[in-house]
Structures are given as structure tokens and as C-alpha cells.
Amino acid sequence: MKGSIDRADDTANLSASQMAALVRASHLLNSSLELPATLAQTVRLASEAVAAEASSVILQDDESGELNFYLATGESEDTLTGYRMNRGEGVAGWVVQSGEPVCVEDVRSDSRFNAKVDQASGFVTRSLLCVPLKLHGKTLGALEACNKRDHDAFGEDDRAFFLALANLVAVAIDHAQLYTRLSQAHRKLQELDEMKTSFIAIASHELRTPLVSLKGYTDIMLMSPVSEEHRRFLGVMKKQVDRLTRLSYDLTNMGQLDDRQVKLTRTLFPLQDVVDEVARESSGFLELRRQELSSQLPPALPRCNGDRPRVYTVLSNLLLNAIRFTPDGGKIAIDAELSGTGQLAVSVSDTGIGIPREELDNIFQKCYQIGDYRHHTSGTVEFKSGGLGLGLAIARGLVEAHGGRLAVRSEVGKGSRFTFTLPAEQA
């Protein structure tokens, strides 16, 4: 005798033991995203709750449509687990394709039954209860029970229990598959990040040697008697070599920050000295852009307790960023004060174009550029120009290596203010 079962989930027909098993299964499936172990315990609970000799979870491959015995319990679980059937094959294949549950009291009288499964596993199937695993209108597979003990037929309470359990199992499978996909994506991103870090380290190292040679020979040629035209050409070469040298240092700094290999050599030094050095090195850029820089700090400011070259890099990157994004004739200021926590709070502010609110959390990411990358313009300090998008990421990383914090306040059309903290000399 064979027949299909109504899809209505009438849990009112469940016995007390089946209700308890359903609650226990819910707890198991929600306790861990490690699906095989929790699902195995759940399927064993299912077998006991309907007094079946064996149970299995059968999943459909999204691409091929093949049915895979993902997990089985009973005498043949070792041989049955991993067994595959073609799309639509067997009672389970019919259930997956139709989305309807089915009860087969005697498999020998049902043409849908696939005897090859018994031949492969050595198990003898007499009766079947099979329900679809459905979620969001999609059928993931089927939940199946075989052979009611004492040769009884699976009843309405068994059907209701399996349908209710199938809902829980489908959700658990979906969550576990999503977790697996996210984990794989995360691992892939980690691998790509490691490859990128390795490339940055190698590229910066390989750039350094030829740049040193180019800079040396260019300086020697500039000191030799040459025509004005050649001197102009050499000046352009020197400018571009200096630009590449700064880029190689940026790559080195970024690589060290990624590998957490930044080693600070702390000394006590007046912050005003570093500000003056940065302002002096940037004076040509400021003059080119006709921008005004004010950089006089309070005379009573305590000395900074940090790595002087690293602090120079932070301040230089922030000033270059301000020059780039402030229109010609704009104003830039560097100021500092002693914060309430005893740290030096250093700020670089400008009257530039400002940063949209939705971009404030992104600008410190490596290689991030506001706007369409296809509109990127390369340059040192030309208006709205940019390099590799490493300057702010390096600045934040070096500040955090000192135990400080770099933050920004900005308003579109009015300008930006970057503030970072550094350790101060203790009185």
C-alpha cells in the first residue's frame, strides 16, 4: 500500500515524547554551526521519536541536481553516507522534485522506490517516511525514515513530527551553508591580503636600490656643467625620482604595519622642530598652490615622547593630504595642545573641499580613493590628486603604534580637521 501525505503540519497529534524530541532537536541545531555533529544527533533523535530502524538526510546539489546522502543512521550508515543518486531518482528524488511529503507502507509495491540504494548499503527497506527540506520556497533535500519497528506503518503523528523537524533542519542547513560560504570567503580575503602584503614588501625593496642609484647620478649630473635645457630636464628627473622614493617609503611603512613589524625608537624631542621640518619640506608645494600655512605651536608645550621620523611621516602625510584637497589660495594650519589625558593632541586643519559624512569611516582604509577610481588623477600636490591611497592608512597605523588615536572632523565645502594624539614627556 502506498500514498502521499497531506502537507499540513498538525503538531497537535504529536505525543509527549515526540514534542520533547522536537524541543531537544531545536536546542541541538541552534547550539552550533558545526552541522555534521549536531545533525547526526538530531537524526538519531528523529529515528527514536518515530521508532524507525534508520533515518537519513539527503541533500540536492544545486548545480547537478544529484541527491547526496549527507548523513545516515542505522546499520548501514557507514556505507550509505555519501551515496549519490541522480536527479529525481527514488522516493527521495520524487519528494525533492514535487516538494510533497510521502509515506510508503510497502516499498515493493511503489515504482518510485530505488532498490539500488539497498543493494549498495546492504540494508533492507520495507517502509518509508520522506518529507522535503524546504526553506524560502526552495527545496534543499529530504528527511527520510525507514522501517517502522514491529512492522507497523508510519502514522499521522510520525508525519507531523517529521514535517516539524524538517523545518528546523532546513534552517540549520541553510545557516551552516551560509557560514561555510562566509568562512571560505574570509579565508580567501586573508590569503589575498597576505599576498598583497608580500608583494608590497618585495616591490618596495626592489624599488629602493635603483632609486638610490638614479638619485645619486642625477645629483652628480646637476653639479656638473650642463646647459640650462639639460639642467631643466635633470630637475624633472630628480623630482620624479624623489616622488618614487616617497612611494617606496610608503610601501615599506604599509608593509611593516600590515605585518605588525613597526619598531619605534622613542626619544624626547620638541614637536615644533618636526612641524618646522615638515613645513620647510612642503614650502615649495605650498608656494605652487599659493596656500598659506600657519604652524606656530604654544611655547610651553611639553616634548613629544615618540619615534621622531615616524611622527614626521604622520605629519607630512596629513599636510600633503591637506594641500591636495584645499583649493589654490586656501589656508592650512598645524596646531597642538596638551590634552586632559596628558597626551599631545596635534591637528592639521584646512579650508578645503571637505569629506562627505558617509566616507569618513572609509578614508583610512588602504588604497581607498573617494569617488570613481577611473577619474583618479596622479600627482604630488595637484588639486584633488592622489597616489596609492596609503597616506592616511599609514598615518593612522603609525599613530596607533605610538598608542595614540587619529580622528577626523569634516564638513563638505568648509574643510577638514585631522587630530592625532601622541605621548608627551612626563613632568
Side-chain angles (χ1 to χ4, degrees), residues 243 369 372-380 382-387:
R243 180 179 168 192
Q369 300 280 349
D372 193 331
Y373 73 93
R374 291 170 296 185
H375 300 156
H376 170 86
T377 57
S378 180
T380 305
E382 289 78 1
F383 186 45
K384 295 185 181 180
S385 65

Side-chain angles (χ1 to χ4, degrees), residues 331 349-355 410-417:
K331 296 183 178 181
S349 55
D350 60 62
T351 58
I353 60 176
I355 305 164
S410 186
E411 187 175 347
V412 173
K414 293 189 176 181
S416 303
R417 182 177 180 85

Side-chain angles (χ1 to χ4, degrees), residues 9 86 157 191 209 218 220 223 243 245 253 273 282 285 291 313 359 361 366 381 384 399:
D9 183 7
N86 295 326
D157 56 341
E191 291 171 5
T209 301
T218 304
I220 290 172
M223 290 186 292
R243 180 179 168 192
T245 301
N253 280 323
D273 289 355
S282 304
F285 300 144
Q291 293 168 342
T313 298
E359 298 284 4
D361 291 334
K366 291 173 288 187
V381 291
K384 295 185 181 180
V399 168

Side-chain angles (χ1 to χ4, degrees), residues 96-349:
V96 170
Q97 283 197 330
S98 67
E100 296 291 334
V102 69
C103 178
V104 180
E105 189 172 328
D106 182 2
V107 297
R108 291 172 298 181
S109 62
D110 194 308
S111 60
R112 294 170 296 188
F113 177 66
N114 182 10
K116 290 187 293 185
V117 178
D118 278 6
Q119 293 169 6
S121 65
F123 185 81
V124 179
T125 305
R126 299 187 307 273
S127 59
L128 278 175
L129 169 62
C130 190
V131 301
L133 296 170
K134 301 185 73 172
L135 187 69
H136 307 312
K138 177 184 177 182
T139 302
L140 307 178
L143 181 63
E144 190 175 73
C146 298
N147 297 356
K148 185 84 167 178
R149 292 193 182 97
D150 299 326
H151 297 270
D152 290 338
F154 291 106
E156 287 298 307
D157 56 341
D158 300 326
R159 184 255 334 160
F161 173 78
F162 252 50
L163 283 171
L165 182 63
N167 291 333
L168 298 176
V169 170
V171 171
I173 290 172
D174 184 67
H175 286 177
Q177 289 176 340
L178 176 60
Y179 174 75
T180 299
R181 290 194 295 270
L182 289 175
S183 297
Q184 291 171 344
H186 180 65
R187 283 195 296 271
K188 185 65 176 177
L189 287 174
Q190 284 183 317
E191 291 171 5
L192 290 173
D193 194 58
E194 289 170 3
M195 290 171 61
K196 180 203 64 191
T197 299
S198 177
F199 170 77
I200 286 175
I202 294 171
S204 61
H205 176 76
E206 292 298 321
L207 279 171
R208 191 74 55 83
T209 301
L211 284 173
V212 169
S213 296
L214 283 171
K215 180 175 173 56
Y217 281 114
T218 304
D219 288 342
I220 290 172
M221 293 173 70
L222 280 169
M223 290 186 292
S224 304
V226 292
S227 68
E228 269 314 304
E229 185 179 25
H230 286 173
R231 185 172 298 279
R232 180 165 55 85
F233 292 161
L234 289 169
V236 172
M237 289 173 59
K238 183 177 185 302
K239 179 181 177 181
Q240 297 305 318
V241 168
D242 288 343
R243 180 179 168 192
L244 283 172
T245 301
R246 285 193 297 271
L247 174 59
S248 73
Y249 281 123
D250 281 348
L251 291 171
T252 299
N253 280 323
M254 199 70 256
Q256 291 175 344
L257 288 168
D258 282 343
D259 287 341
R260 294 177 172 82
Q261 292 181 350
V262 175
K263 295 177 181 176
L264 302 180
T265 303
R266 293 179 183 270
T267 59
L268 295 174
F269 58 89
L271 190 60
Q272 183 70 61
D273 289 355
V274 179
V275 171
D276 290 343
E277 183 180 354
V278 170
R280 186 167 56 253
E281 292 291 331
S282 304
S283 59
F285 300 144
L286 292 162
E287 184 177 348
L288 177 69
R289 299 291 311 284
R290 303 190 306 280
Q291 293 168 342
E292 179 184 335
L293 172 67
S294 59
S295 58
Q296 191 63 41
L297 306 187
L301 205 63
R303 291 184 295 178
C304 180
N305 180 10
D307 187 314
R308 193 183 190 283
R310 305 289 194 182
V311 173
Y312 171 90
T313 298
V314 172
L315 203 52
S316 177
N317 284 357
L318 292 179
L319 180 56
L320 285 176
N321 189 72
I323 293 172
R324 284 170 173 160
F325 294 100
T326 299
D328 290 358
K331 296 183 178 181
I332 301 171
I334 301 175
D335 57 79
E337 62 181 1
L338 190 63
S339 71
T341 60
Q343 292 181 303
L344 293 170
V346 189
S347 296
V348 178
S349 55

